[in-house]
Amino acid sequence: MKTYLQIWYNSDGSCSPPSEVNSRLMSLGFQLVRGPYDYVYEWDSSASLDDVLRLGDKTHLTLAGTGVLFKIETD
């Protein structure tokens, strides 16, 4: 099971730089990927909906104050 993450940056200068956002996300276990998504989180086993929601909460807290928007999608 994988959770994909897309990031949107605000170009008006109020966002943290991509390198800082990357460091924060990597600390949660996300990995950079090429393609339609920016990051992927690969679960060790089948995750429950609660696990995915907790990852969303952690992502939200980790990106707070950076000025970026994000979207998660799990399959």
Side-chain angles (χ1 to χ4, degrees):
M1 193 158 121
K2 297 179 181 182
T3 296
Y4 298 96
L5 181 70
Q6 286 182 309
I7 301 290
W8 289 277
Y9 293 90
N10 183 343
S11 62
D12 73 1
S14 63
C15 280
S16 297
S19 58
E20 179 183 331
V21 172
N22 181 65
S23 293
R24 291 181 183 209
L25 292 170
M26 298 288 273
S27 74
L28 290 179
F30 282 99
Q31 298 298 314
L32 278 168
V33 292
R34 289 185 181 183
Y37 301 101
D38 301 310
Y39 294 88
V40 64
Y41 184 94
E42 296 194 40
W43 298 90
D44 292 333
S45 60
S46 183
S48 69
L49 182 55
D50 285 338
D51 294 330
V52 174
L53 290 173
R54 279 193 290 277
L55 178 62
D57 288 348
K58 288 179 186 177
T59 303
H60 176 34
L61 290 172
T62 298
L63 295 176
T66 63
V68 301
L69 299 174
F70 72 95
K71 173 188 167 189
I72 60 172
E73 186 175 314
T74 301
D75 71 3

